[in-house]
Amino acid sequence: MGVEMEVSGDNNTNWVPIMKKRMNILGKKLKTFPKLTWKTIWKVGKDDPRRVIHSLKVGFSLTLVSLLYLMEPLFKGFGSSAIWAVMTVVVVLEFTAGATLCKGLNRGLGTLLAGSLAFLIEYVATESGHIFRAIFIGASVFFIGAAATYMRFFPYIKKNYDYGVVIFLLTFNLITVSSYRVDNVLKIAHERFYTIAIGCGICLLMSLLILPNWSGEDLHNFTAAKFEGLAKSIEACVNEYFRDEEQQKARENSSDLEDPIYNGYKTVLDSKSFDETLALYASWEPRHSRHCYRFPWQQYVKLGNVLRHFGYTIVALHGCLQTEIQTPRSVRAMFKDPCIRLAGEVTKALKELGDSIRHRRQCSPEILSDHLHEALQDLDNAIKSQPKLFIGSKNNSNKLALATIGVQSGALNSRRVTLSSVKTDTSALLEWKSKRGTINENSKSLRPTLSKIAITSLEFSDALPFAAFAALLVEIVARLDLVIEEVEELGRIAHFKEYHNSQNDDHNVVVDFEKHAMPLRNELPTHAGD
């Protein structure tokens, strides 16, 4: 009994410093909370000042519709149905004009169709008896609800009018079912329709006439920014591949945890749904450009698909930096200059394409200059000048044989190796088998496999991993032609201005990829099932 009390007392004593430590941590968080909150508020507005303007527009719109409640004459005219105007502003007013038009017209069209159909059913039901009226209303609700829900699965309806069908179902059921118990349902329906129309009108006024944000412009800027991100990824990837050991250690010890290669192409690869959403809302927008041309949103989506396939090659190129078998740095240095030069020419071409889209002009006829072909030729000559590195020989063969690592403390220590640094005889496989037999004899339960596959009878070259890297780099050049074709097609359809030599100064314009690409994602309207 005394022992138990002593143990309990020790536990209580141990809790005291733990609680003090937690209280100190909580106190520090409370002290830094205001500062962090202000930093977040400032960063969100600084990334895209249009967010501040949109917030003010929403606040002003809500104030306007609240007058239906606050002003006595207006409240007498609309009554409690004025709340529908407030709900409409909250749901419909989106960041871009296209999104507001899409949701506003869907809401208005759905309300109008539902009200008309509900009045027709009410007219037929009033001509029958009381019992038959209830049966008729129930059957109408069932068939209309089932049919409208089934229509939501149609691809075209789901893409363009899904929100309108939801509003149609909601309004139809509210009017039809309430008409059985309410005598003056026609007046309620009129008030509700008028208040929704007022709310939609205020939303359209704010979106189209007061500092509008166009979905087409966002899609245009986002597409141009993709080229900047891809160019940064290629440049950073090649520089990282040929970085020497001292630079590599300095980078690993740095506090910068962001990967510039991944950050460059990740937005491009994840942009499919974002592009399609912006393109959908852009299709609802009026022709607001200077020449009143129709916005070629379909071509922007097509160009986005080509850029994603182009980005997949960069992902594979990035993977060469993370493979288990690496080419020695001494071998890489032999091909450093032509590879960096080739990557620089590709980067320059991508930036030129991005600038041409951003400034709505045709791309330069010399986008694929002689410098790019010369860089390809230099890389080809450098590879041909070292045939033994890629073929291997009997006298100086490098055989891949990766032996198992010891089972100690159950930890797996993985590391990258070069082909010339691993064992090159059959003793590796024999050692692996003997250790595996020892493990099986001493262990009574299955353990995770800690060994690697040993290949002992094949000859491999030190430059084999580099060959994959060089092949992907050449593949990027090949796919660049497809990107250029789509950009030229976009310029033709969108009526971009002709290229002039005086426009070479556009290359000096540097656009931050994260500034254009990332903030736009936060402005996408939520799916309206409200």
Side-chain angles (χ1 to χ4, degrees):
M1 192 66 181
V3 174
E4 292 179 357
M5 292 179 63
E6 184 177 354
V7 173
S8 177
D10 291 341
N11 291 336
N12 293 333
T13 304
N14 293 334
W15 272 103
V16 174
I18 295 176
M19 292 301 297
K20 287 183 178 180
K21 185 177 180 181
R22 291 181 178 178
M23 292 300 295
N24 291 334
I25 294 175
L26 180 60
K28 291 180 180 179
K29 289 183 178 180
L30 291 176
K31 288 180 181 180
T32 58
F33 180 75
K35 185 178 180 180
L36 292 176
T37 303
W38 173 249
K39 283 185 176 180
T40 303
I41 294 173
W42 180 261
K43 184 179 182 301
V44 170
K46 187 178 180 181
D47 289 343
D48 193 349
R50 298 180 303 169
R51 297 171 177 173
V52 179
I53 299 175
H54 175 69
S55 301
L56 296 176
K57 288 162 63 175
V58 173
F60 184 67
S61 301
L62 290 174
T63 303
L64 287 179
V65 295
S66 298
L67 296 177
L68 298 177
Y69 256 102
L70 300 177
M71 298 184 67
E72 190 67 23
L74 296 177
F75 182 75
K76 289 182 178 180
F78 294 100
S80 59
S81 297
I83 194 63
W84 286 90
V86 179
M87 294 174 58
T88 300
V89 171
V90 173
V91 173
V92 171
L93 187 54
E94 294 289 353
F95 184 76
T96 61
T100 303
L101 276 168
C102 179
K103 297 186 72 173
L105 296 180
N106 267 274
R107 190 177 182 88
L109 183 62
T111 302
L112 181 62
L113 292 178
S116 303
L117 185 59
F119 290 148
L120 178 62
I121 292 177
E122 174 66 13
Y123 175 77
V124 175
T126 52
E127 300 298 327
S128 58
H130 187 72
I131 298 178
F132 181 78
R133 182 185 179 188
I135 297 175
F136 184 76
I137 290 176
S140 300
V141 169
F142 171 77
F143 285 112
I144 297 298
T149 303
Y150 187 75
M151 289 179 62
R152 294 182 64 189
F153 294 104
F154 295 176
Y156 182 77
I157 298 295
K158 186 175 185 63
K159 179 181 179 181
N160 296 277
Y161 302 104
D162 186 69
Y163 180 62
V165 176
V166 173
I167 296 300
F168 169 83
L169 278 174
L170 176 64
T171 306
F172 174 78
N173 282 275
L174 287 176
I175 296 176
T176 304
V177 175
S178 61
S179 66
Y180 186 75
R181 298 293 181 182
V182 180
D183 295 333
N184 198 7
V185 68
L186 183 62
K187 180 182 178 182
I188 296 175
H190 280 168
E191 292 176 350
R192 186 168 298 174
F193 178 76
Y194 292 149
T195 53
I196 291 176
I198 291 173
C200 289
I202 292 176
C203 292
L204 296 179
L205 176 67
M206 289 292 175
S207 294
L208 297 176
L209 301 181
I210 301 179
L211 299 175
N213 300 319
W214 304 105
S215 298
E217 293 293 330
D218 283 350
L219 180 60
H220 176 87
N221 294 330
F222 181 57
T223 302
K226 289 179 184 178
F227 289 89
E228 184 75 18
L230 293 175
K232 288 181 179 179
S233 290
I234 295 175
E235 186 177 16
C237 186
V238 175
N239 290 336
E240 181 73 17
Y241 190 79
F242 292 101
R243 197 187 303 272
D244 56 33
E245 295 182 2
E246 294 182 358
Q247 294 175 337
Q248 183 67 26
K249 291 180 180 179
R251 174 171 174 77
E252 291 176 355
N253 296 331
S254 64
S255 58
D256 187 10
L257 300 178
E258 293 186 357
D259 187 354
I261 306 174
Y262 176 71
N263 290 337
Y265 64 71
K266 69 175 181 179
T267 306
V268 178
L269 300 183
D270 298 338
S271 64
K272 179 177 173 57
S273 60
F274 186 64
D275 287 347
E276 292 177 350
T277 302
L278 283 178
L280 171 63
Y281 294 142
S283 66
W284 286 83
E285 292 176 349
R287 302 184 184 186
H288 56 275
S289 62
R290 182 176 62 180
H291 302 288
C292 202
Y293 293 131
R294 181 174 177 81
F295 185 80
W297 53 271
Q298 288 180 330
Q299 189 63 31
Y300 278 91
V301 174
K302 188 176 179 181
L303 176 59
N305 293 332
V306 174
L307 286 178
R308 275 191 299 277
H309 285 86
F310 185 84
Y312 296 150
T313 310
I314 302 178
V315 175
L317 192 71
H318 188 197
C320 292
L321 276 66
Q322 302 171 338
T323 55
E324 292 295 329
I325 307 299
Q326 292 286 332
T327 298
R329 296 189 182 277
S330 59
V331 177
R332 298 188 207 181
M334 302 171 62
F335 308 97
K336 179 179 179 180
D337 291 338
C339 286
I340 290 181
R341 184 184 176 190
L342 181 60
E345 294 298 327
V346 174
T347 298
K348 188 187 301 183
L350 288 173
K351 290 181 178 180
E352 161 62 22
L353 292 173
D355 286 340
S356 66
I357 293 177
R358 185 177 302 111
H359 301 290
R360 289 183 170 85
R361 61 167 174 79
Q362 300 286 344
C363 58
S364 171
E366 300 177 356
I367 184 71
L368 292 179
S369 62
D370 294 337
H371 298 293
L372 180 61
H373 297 288
E374 291 174 0
L376 278 172
Q377 188 64 41
D378 290 345
L379 178 60
D380 183 58
N381 293 336
I383 293 175
K384 289 180 178 179
S385 65
Q386 302 292 335
K388 293 183 179 180
L389 285 176
F390 298 92
I391 298 176
S393 63
K394 292 292 183 180
N395 296 329
N396 186 22
S397 63
N398 294 305
K399 300 179 180 180
L400 178 63
L402 187 61
T404 183
I405 59 177
V407 182
Q408 295 180 355
S409 68
L412 177 60
N413 299 321
S414 61
R415 58 184 182 274
R416 293 188 179 90
V417 296
T418 60
L419 289 171
S420 59
S421 66
V422 297
K423 296 184 179 181
T424 57
D425 54 17
T426 57
S427 62
L429 185 58
L430 296 176
E431 181 182 354
W432 175 74
K433 289 183 177 180
S434 63
K435 288 188 176 181
R436 183 183 179 188
T438 304
I439 294 172
N440 292 335
E441 292 177 359
N442 298 333
S443 61
K444 296 182 179 179
S445 60
L446 294 177
R447 296 182 181 180
T449 302
L450 302 179
S451 61
K452 298 287 186 179
I453 299 176
I455 304 176
T456 60
S457 60
L458 300 177
E459 294 183 2
F460 288 94
S461 166
D462 272 333
L464 183 61
F466 170 77
F469 182 85
L472 289 171
L473 198 58
V474 175
E475 178 66 16
I476 287 177
V477 178
R479 293 198 178 192
L480 188 61
D481 286 335
L482 301 177
V483 177
I484 294 174
E485 290 178 4
E486 292 300 326
V487 173
E488 291 177 344
E489 181 69 12
L490 173 63
R492 184 186 63 81
I493 297 176
H495 302 279
F496 286 171
K497 58 187 177 182
E498 295 294 331
Y499 175 83
H500 299 289
N501 291 331
S502 60
Q503 293 172 342
N504 288 334
D505 295 337
D506 292 341
H507 291 287
N508 298 327
V509 180
V510 179
V511 178
D512 187 0
F513 179 69
E514 295 295 331
K515 179 179 178 182
H516 283 81
M518 300 306 294
L520 292 177
R521 292 182 174 275
N522 300 325
E523 320 310 340
L524 281 178
T526 56
H527 188 272
D530 313 77

